[in-house]
Amino acid sequence: MAGGGERGGGAGLPESREHLFKVLVIGELGVGKTSIIKRYVHQLFSQHYRATIGVDFALKVLNWDSRTLVRLQLWDIAGQERFGNMTRVYYKEAVGAFVVFDVTRGSTFEAVSKWKHDLDSKVLLPNGSPIPAVLIANKCDQKKDSGQNPSQMDQFCKEGGFAGWFETSAKDNINIDEAARFLVENILANLKAFPSEENDVGRLKLEPGPLTAESKPQCC
């Protein structure tokens, strides 16, 4: 699921690359996981999404650069929260994740560490490290209840092993694309660090390198 394939070109043409990445979107019920995916993939927003039952899939195709096509297979894992921990099949072969909480409900932030621990216990990179995870503070267009300021969030991400964090609003389309690009940069960097026969990225130059949590754009 997380492989890459080559597309042959004519003589003298630069080699092009295609990648398919499985990305998980996890977090407590009602934090806006489906809304984020709908906004990112379809540029749509609704106040009235039904609760996701089971697992929904969405595909986002990115022309990353002139030679690289990235397909993100977004797994909207919802409706399963009420049954406790996920089974490993949902996490299998994932190469990145968004962990989402709702800034208007502090209890959803308190659950973030549980989701991150569950993720890290079920899927790892080839070198045994956790897959890159980005923390999403969703609904930043509304009044906050989490009580976390940016410096505290930076420290929380550092201690919790998150690649970074973004305040987002699916409603107002704030930082959704930026958060996704940040995650893809980290995924591509990992592919370069741990090439396999399936993901031969030895000739792919990644410019610029992955962002750090301190250099991400902020909102609100």
Side-chain angles (χ1 to χ4, degrees):
M1 195 86 47
E6 296 187 10
R7 300 182 65 185
L13 294 178
E15 180 189 16
S16 58
R17 304 286 310 167
E18 289 188 8
H19 299 291
L20 176 62
F21 297 142
K22 176 179 176 179
V23 172
L24 308 176
V25 184
I26 58 179
E28 294 293 280
L29 188 66
V31 295
K33 299 185 294 293
T34 301
S35 294
I36 288 170
I37 292 173
K38 295 287 188 184
R39 169 62 77 182
Y40 181 54
V41 175
H42 304 296
Q43 294 302 310
L44 298 173
F45 178 79
S46 170
Q47 299 277 13
H48 307 293
Y49 289 127
R50 61 176 176 79
T52 306
I53 304 300
V55 180
D56 278 357
F57 301 90
L59 186 68
K60 176 75 169 183
V61 180
L62 301 172
N63 292 307
W64 190 255
D65 59 33
S66 61
R67 296 179 295 119
T68 311
L69 186 73
V70 171
R71 290 184 172 90
L72 292 184
Q73 187 183 64
L74 297 158
W75 283 46
D76 182 2
I77 299 177
Q80 304 290 329
E81 295 95 335
R82 68 201 72 175
F83 303 117
N85 284 350
M86 302 293 157
T87 60
R88 290 179 186 275
V89 66
Y90 294 127
Y91 290 85
K92 187 178 180 183
E93 297 180 356
V95 294
F98 294 109
V99 181
V100 186
F101 74 95
D102 177 351
V103 299
T104 72
R105 292 190 289 141
S107 61
T108 65
F109 177 73
E110 294 167 8
V112 161
S113 295
K114 175 197 73 175
W115 285 101
K116 182 65 163 64
H117 180 268
D118 194 44
L119 177 72
D120 293 347
S121 70
K122 291 175 179 167
V123 61
L124 296 170
L125 293 174
N127 71 337
S129 299
I131 65 173
V134 173
L135 181 60
I136 299 295
N138 195 36
K139 306 185 184 181
C140 71
D141 56 287
Q142 301 180 34
K143 185 177 179 180
K144 296 181 183 180
D145 181 44
S146 62
Q148 300 293 318
N149 63 43
S151 62
Q152 288 175 317
M153 290 294 290
D154 288 341
Q155 186 64 25
F156 178 83
C157 287
K158 183 178 180 180
E159 294 175 354
F162 287 93
W165 69 280
F166 289 81
E167 286 187 327
T168 67
S169 168
K171 180 180 179 181
D172 292 345
N173 197 19
I174 298 171
N175 272 349
I176 304 293
D177 289 348
E178 290 83 355
R181 183 171 184 85
F182 176 77
L183 181 60
V184 173
E185 286 175 342
N186 278 270
I187 293 170
L188 286 170
N190 285 331
L191 276 187
K192 189 176 182 181
F194 311 115
S196 68
E197 292 182 2
E198 290 184 353
N199 318 309
D200 179 15
V201 294
R203 290 182 292 274
L204 178 61
K205 291 182 174 59
L206 302 177
E207 296 288 344
L211 301 175
T212 64
E214 289 72 25
S215 62
K216 67 191 179 312
Q218 294 287 343
C219 84
C220 301

